[in-house]
Amino acid sequence: MSDCAPWPWNAIPQTMLQFTSLVERSFDYSNKIQDIADKIAQRIASLFDISQSNGGHNPELDNYVESFLADVQRIIVRLRIVEKVRPLKAFWLTNYIENIILTEAGKMQDAYQELQARFTVHTAYTAQTIRCGVAIIQGSSTKPLSHIPTPAKLPARPIFFYGRDARLNEIVALICMLVATRIAIMGPGGIGKTSLALAALHDSRVIEVVGDHRFFISVEGMIDIDAASTLLATHLGLDASSDPLSRAIAYFQSLPRALLVVDNLETLWFSKNASARVDTEQFLSRLAEVSSLTLLVTSRGAVPPDGVQWSNAQSAELAQLSLDAARDTFVQIATLPAESTEQAVLDTLLVELDCVPLAVTLLANLAVLENSPSDLLRRWKKSRTGLLHAQGEDRLRSVDVSITVSLDQLKGMKHGVEAVQLLAVCAHLPDGLRPPVFAQLDEHFANIDAAKDMLVEFALVNVGADGELKMLSPIRYFVLDNHPMTDLHLVSLRHIYFGIAASAPQRPADNFNLLSAQLAPEYGNLTSFLMHLIDSEEPSDELCNAVNAVSEYAYWTMPSSTLREALLPRLSTTTQTAWRARCLKNLGRVCLRRDEYSDATQNLQAARVLYAELGDRHEEVKCRRLLGICLRMQDLVDAAEVELRTAQDMFTELDFKFDAAQCMQQLGEICRQRDKYDQAIEHLTSARDTFNQCGERLYAAQCTHSLGQIQLEKSNLPAAQSELQSALSAFESLGSQLGATQCTQLLGEVMRRQGNYGPAESLLTAALEAFTRLESRSDLANCHRSFGLLYRDQNRTREALASFENARDMYNKMGLQAGVADCNSQIQDLPNLL
């Protein structure tokens, strides 16, 4: 191509060749395809006519040409997707092709009409370029291909590019400085380094400063610096010589300004050849000495190569996309509606991918083929990184291949094998390998620090704020599937995390907050590792104890049944009956805590049967007491009373005073529900005295809370406030978030009844947020009801109605008909909004 033809005109022949070669290679030249080919040719011919009309330059017409080429590239992208899956989806391809062609053709027609209305002139210097493009697209050129101007030397700019504006602006600003700069874009595979470099290369601000002297080479596949130097010289159009790098440098020195992008530098920098690293640094150093040359390199890793003073050394590493940017990328590629009903599912999927650009792009391409976000999320959970590939299986089409490239380079280096072993350990710890655990692993590695440094250098892990080593989700899942831990490291990790599980606090007490703060950072790692052990080995008593300890801690913080549900089917029905019974009982407690009464009843009844078979009367009666609580919470108070009194008598017979007091506490709650306040106070006071004698401060605080609630229901507000504040202090000192929040909500009720609406709203808002976080559905419904009463008292009728309706819906989902009836009554009493 003539040097006088600038961007974007010089890209026309290359784009046309891409389109025609794709169509001729993969599709029958049908009428629909021929129609769009003719339309594209007509657009080029029109541009030719305009360009002949006048010799004046028009930047706006340049913008149209650039937009036109982007339209053609979108057609190419979609046809390539169809090409890859054609054997699998032949039955709908014809309609699919027609739809995408018509969609893009419509966009091009709108743009062309705008062109006709606004532009009539352009410079004649593009005539040869346009004539060539017309000849190519119509297939009527009589010239040999070698006579067609050389296609553009620069790769196309990325079509879909979101969420990198700040980094792009930073890089462009460095390129456009008065003096040449040295820029590095670092990060793991698939993070978008090349896309960012190409976006900068094609940025209009860069073109204005550098002009046509912008160059791009990829050294992927180069075996040494000599090969890379030869590639560079050839790319610049220089004759072969014995010193191609010197020839290239001399050429750059002859230019007033130039920009060179060296892509995939890691191929040379991390080469298994011992001297390649030094040679690479010398190669970069020589290029950096050219005062007119701005050098931009992309490479896997976290830290740029030595030997060059990098202008962005402190911000070279590229992070994953934001959720918004990942969503925009997915939606544009997959052509999803802007307000898709599946946006919440899509966001979940993108978070699972850690918003890694390559992973997002590959799944978005699958969505083009009529896979909804829900389908993709299901497939992701089943196949993980096996889903993240497209036809071709190169590093830009497959996450697995991209990660394998890094690992292969890593293994060939000193300490590389141990680095991969350490990576396998990190893969089991989704919240990161934290310094205390890292220190305990030291004795099982020859040089764990060197292994860590290599993982950071290759950007396979990053160091978090607390010094933990974390992995991006696609890398972590790939390593889990393909690089198991050594037996030695597995045994070591078992020992470490079983010890952490043993330290988990089992119920709120004086030291609960302290122990919880120590355990919380490792909770995600602990549950993930235990899930791995449950899936991969026969459950031992040691594993069962660890699962039980962690699950019991979670019961008091964020009730979860995940571990126990995974463990239960793995337990032997013959030799592990005691563990099965214990698991079922505790699953029942969790369901009860989450207001899932049917599941709670089923689990508790099954546990009671097993305990009866084992002859463990104490645990059997505990199940009866829990079943009584389940009935009471569903307002089935008569049946609940029978169960609780029977359990109380059996505990008394067995001389378990604490358990009998728990039954007394629940009988007091039944009396409160029946508005028998004197009997309720008597039962709760008696139970509290026993709890205090047994040193059970948590249950004593629960009784105090209930006594405060009774005083509130009796409208004795000073007494209610006193009891509730006492209970609140006790719960806070014990670390019971649920108990403290229940007191906060009732204190908000006290403030409301006293007419202190501002403090009441503040307390209820705090309670609502906490109940939402704690997933306590019945308490959340009660809180919405309290808001309804607060708004009603302030004549905020619309807000009151919304709150009562929210509460009613929640009560209804839990099957609590008394709550539903109360809300309906409150709604009927509201003033008519009309």
Side-chain angles (χ1 to χ4, degrees):
M1 163 126 356
S2 173
D3 289 338
C4 68
W7 171 267
W9 299 86
N10 59 4
I12 290 176
Q14 179 190 31
T15 302
M16 298 304 101
L17 282 170
Q18 287 178 342
F19 178 81
T20 54
S21 63
L22 174 65
V23 170
E24 291 171 356
R25 180 178 73 247
S26 304
F27 300 94
D28 296 331
Y29 219 83
S30 66
N31 290 336
K32 294 292 183 180
I33 301 295
Q34 183 63 62
D35 286 347
I36 193 63
D38 290 343
K39 284 185 170 63
I40 293 173
Q42 290 166 11
R43 298 295 179 270
I44 298 176
S46 298
L47 290 172
F48 167 71
D49 292 338
I50 293 172
S51 73
Q52 295 298 302
S53 300
N54 191 289
H57 176 61
N58 194 324
E60 290 189 70
L61 189 53
D62 288 352
N63 291 337
Y64 170 79
V65 173
E66 184 174 343
S67 176
F68 162 74
L69 292 175
D71 290 338
V72 178
Q73 282 291 343
R74 276 193 289 272
I75 294 175
I76 291 171
V77 168
R78 281 156 175 75
L79 289 179
R80 280 178 175 165
I81 293 169
V82 174
E83 176 189 24
K84 294 166 188 173
V85 299
R86 186 171 187 177
L88 302 178
K89 300 283 187 178
F91 65 94
W92 58 260
L93 275 181
T94 300
N95 290 335
Y96 181 81
I97 294 171
E98 291 181 5
N99 287 338
I100 62 175
I101 292 298
L102 291 174
T103 298
E104 297 300 337
K107 294 178 182 177
M108 293 172 66
Q109 180 63 30
D110 293 342
Y112 180 60
Q113 290 174 352
E114 181 180 353
L115 171 74
Q116 290 178 314
R118 298 181 60 188
F119 305 119
T120 58
V121 295
H122 194 264
T123 58
Y125 64 68
T126 58
Q128 182 182 8
T129 301
I130 298 172
R131 286 188 190 278
C132 177
V134 173
I136 294 170
I137 193 65
Q138 292 180 331
S140 61
S141 174
T142 58
K143 298 179 181 181
L145 191 60
S146 59
H147 291 279
I148 297 174
T150 307
K153 297 173 182 177
L154 298 180
R157 67 180 63 200
I159 297 174
F160 305 105
F161 188 76
Y162 298 94
R164 300 295 195 199
D165 290 348
R167 294 303 297 272
L168 178 61
N169 289 335
E170 173 193 330
I171 290 171
V172 168
L174 289 171
I175 295 173
C176 294
M177 292 180 69
L178 294 177
V179 295
T181 51
R182 324 292 175 228
I183 306 162
I185 303 176
M186 311 296 295
I191 206 67
K193 303 181 292 297
T194 302
S195 293
L196 179 57
L198 289 174
L201 199 62
H202 288 292
D203 191 278
S204 59
R205 295 165 291 179
V206 171
I207 296 172
E208 185 176 351
V209 172
V210 183
D212 290 340
H213 300 139
R214 294 166 292 124
F215 308 97
F216 179 99
I217 63 170
S218 172
V219 296
E220 182 181 16
M222 297 293 100
I223 60 174
D224 55 30
I225 286 299
D226 289 340
S229 299
T230 300
L231 172 69
L232 175 58
T234 302
H235 183 82
L236 297 175
L238 303 175
D239 295 334
S241 71
S242 59
D243 190 357
L245 180 57
S246 294
R247 291 291 303 278
I249 288 174
Y251 175 76
F252 287 133
Q253 288 172 334
S254 71
L255 302 175
R257 285 296 297 270
L259 169 62
L260 172 64
V261 175
V262 181
D263 194 35
N264 303 124
L265 185 69
E266 72 277 351
T267 304
L268 298 172
W269 191 30
F270 293 145
S271 171
K272 297 178 181 180
N273 186 334
S275 64
R277 192 179 189 91
V278 175
D279 292 343
T280 302
E281 292 171 356
Q282 291 177 350
F283 171 80
L284 296 175
S285 180
R286 290 191 63 187
L287 289 171
E289 291 173 357
V290 180
S291 60
S292 60
L293 176 65
T294 291
L295 178 64
L296 191 160
V297 304
T298 75
S299 176
R300 300 187 185 211
V303 181
D306 293 333
V308 175
Q309 185 174 351
W310 299 102
S311 305
N312 66 330
Q314 300 304 313
S315 58
E317 189 169 9
L318 194 60
Q320 61 264 47
L321 295 173
S322 68
L323 179 59
D324 288 341
R327 186 189 309 116
D328 288 342
T329 301
F330 189 100
V331 167
Q332 287 299 314
I333 295 174
T335 61
L336 290 180
E339 297 297 328
S340 172
T341 56
E342 290 215 332
Q343 181 167 312
V345 178
L346 174 58
D347 285 355
T348 300
L349 175 63
L350 296 174
V351 170
E352 284 274 331
L353 298 173
D354 266 341
C355 297
V356 173
L358 176 58
V360 172
T361 299
L362 291 171
L363 281 195
N365 284 331
L366 287 178
V368 172
L369 307 177
E370 300 183 353
N371 287 282
S372 68
S374 293
D375 292 335
L376 292 175
L377 182 59
R378 174 185 56 78
R379 293 177 63 187
W380 164 256
K381 289 181 177 180
K382 180 179 180 180
S383 302
R384 300 298 185 187
T385 58
L387 187 62
L388 301 180
H389 64 85
Q391 185 171 341
E393 293 298 302
D394 59 35
R395 64 175 184 81
L396 297 179
R397 296 168 181 261
S398 169
V399 167
D400 285 6
V401 172
S402 179
I403 298 169
T404 298
V405 168
S406 292
L407 293 179
D408 286 346
Q409 290 173 328
L410 184 63
K411 291 174 185 176
M413 304 183 73
K414 186 179 180 181
H415 305 299
V417 173
E418 276 209 329
V420 174
Q421 292 174 355
L422 181 60
L423 193 66
V425 173
C426 294
H428 286 276
L429 308 175
D431 291 340
L433 174 56
R434 303 181 67 81
V437 177
F438 181 86
Q440 293 183 67
L441 289 170
D442 185 14
E443 63 180 298
H444 302 295
F445 285 83
N447 193 333
I448 195 172
D449 291 307
K452 167 190 169 183
D453 292 343
M454 291 190 70
L455 294 178
V456 173
E457 185 177 14
F458 275 69
L460 290 166
V461 301
N462 58 76
V463 181
D466 296 326
E468 72 276 15
L469 302 181
K470 299 194 68 174
M471 302 170 65
L472 292 174
S473 175
I475 300 176
R476 192 172 76 85
Y477 285 120
F478 176 81
V479 174
L480 281 174
D481 290 340
N482 297 279
H483 295 275
M485 276 190 289
T486 67
D487 291 342
L488 176 63
H489 297 148
L490 178 60
V491 170
S492 177
L493 216 58
R494 280 173 58 95
H495 175 75
I496 293 169
Y497 277 98
F498 281 180
I500 294 174
S503 70
Q506 297 301 284
R507 68 166 63 175
D510 289 337
N511 62 348
F512 186 87
N513 286 333
L514 175 62
L515 294 175
S516 181
Q518 294 172 353
L519 178 67
E522 288 288 2
Y523 178 75
N525 290 336
L526 189 54
T527 55
S528 176
F529 183 59
L530 290 176
M531 283 295 290
H532 166 72
L533 295 180
I534 291 171
D535 291 339
S536 61
E537 63 182 50
E538 293 297 322
S540 62
D541 286 350
E542 191 178 28
L543 176 58
C544 292
N545 277 320
V547 168
N548 187 71
V550 174
S551 300
E552 194 62 22
Y553 161 75
Y555 175 84
W556 297 103
T557 52
M558 189 68 68
S560 172
S561 58
T562 302
L563 286 174
R564 284 170 171 149
E565 285 179 346
L567 178 64
L568 183 60
R570 302 277 293 162
L571 295 170
S572 169
T573 57
T574 56
T575 62
Q576 294 180 305
T577 305
W579 277 117
R580 288 181 60 82
R582 189 173 184 179
C583 202
L584 284 165
K585 185 193 79 171
N586 287 320
L587 282 172
R589 289 172 59 228
V590 172
C591 292
L592 188 57
R593 168 73 171 72
R594 296 192 305 208
D595 305 296
E596 298 167 353
Y597 304 119
S598 176
D599 289 343
T601 300
Q602 182 178 348
N603 285 319
L604 290 169
Q605 287 177 340
R608 184 167 68 174
V609 170
L610 290 180
Y611 279 125
E613 292 176 0
L614 291 167
D616 190 335
R617 290 192 65 202
H618 186 199
E619 291 295 335
E620 181 187 355
V621 180
K622 282 184 179 181
C623 292
R624 182 183 289 272
R625 177 181 63 81
L626 290 168
L627 286 165
I629 296 174
C630 190
L631 291 167
R632 181 187 69 76
M633 294 186 70
Q634 296 174 84
D635 296 317
L636 303 173
V637 290
D638 292 338
E641 183 178 13
V642 172
E643 288 284 2
L644 290 167
R645 289 197 180 279
T646 302
Q648 183 183 33
D649 291 342
M650 296 177 73
F651 282 132
T652 301
E653 178 186 344
L654 295 169
D655 198 26
F656 288 112
K657 295 181 180 180
F658 167 67
D659 298 279
Q662 285 183 302
C663 293
M664 180 68 76
Q665 175 190 6
Q666 293 300 319
L667 290 168
E669 293 290 348
I670 288 175
C671 291
R672 180 188 62 77
Q673 288 174 263
R674 289 170 168 168
D675 298 332
K676 297 180 178 180
Y677 295 127
D678 290 341
Q679 292 182 28
I681 292 172
E682 180 181 349
H683 288 329
L684 289 166
T685 302
S686 174
R688 183 170 63 179
D689 290 343
T690 302
F691 292 143
N692 283 326
Q693 292 171 9
C694 297
E696 295 288 349
R697 294 178 56 208
L698 173 65
Y699 294 95
Q702 290 176 354
C703 291
T704 301
H705 163 270
S706 297
L707 290 167
Q709 186 174 3
I710 290 171
Q711 296 301 331
L712 177 62
E713 292 174 7
K714 293 174 65 177
S715 299
N716 190 348
L717 300 185
Q721 188 169 5
S722 176
E723 293 279 20
L724 290 170
Q725 286 176 338
S726 176
L728 176 63
S729 297
F731 284 130
E732 288 179 336
S733 68
L734 296 169
S736 175
Q737 299 176 46
L738 180 61
T741 305
Q742 289 170 334
C743 290
T744 300
Q745 186 235 328
L746 290 182
L747 284 168
E749 275 286 297
V750 172
M751 293 293 109
R752 176 187 70 81
R753 294 199 186 189
Q754 292 174 338
N756 298 321
Y757 298 132
E761 188 163 1
S762 296
L763 289 169
L764 290 175
T765 299
L768 188 70
E769 292 174 353
F771 285 140
T772 301
R773 186 175 64 254
L774 294 168
E775 300 179 5
S776 182
R777 295 195 300 164
S778 59
D779 288 312
L780 195 58
N782 293 339
C783 203
H784 277 293
R785 177 183 178 278
S786 293
F787 265 111
L789 296 172
L790 175 66
Y791 294 142
R792 180 205 63 187
D793 292 352
Q794 298 176 81
N795 296 319
R796 296 160 63 178
T797 306
R798 291 187 183 278
E799 293 166 284
L801 176 61
S803 295
F804 284 131
E805 286 178 340
N806 281 338
R808 180 183 61 188
D809 291 345
M810 292 180 181
Y811 287 132
N812 192 46
K813 287 179 181 178
M814 291 181 285
L816 303 180
Q817 295 309 309
V820 172
D822 175 77
C823 288
N824 283 332
S825 176
Q826 297 291 348
I827 290 171
Q828 290 175 1
D829 291 342
L830 289 174
N832 194 322
L833 290 174
L834 300 178

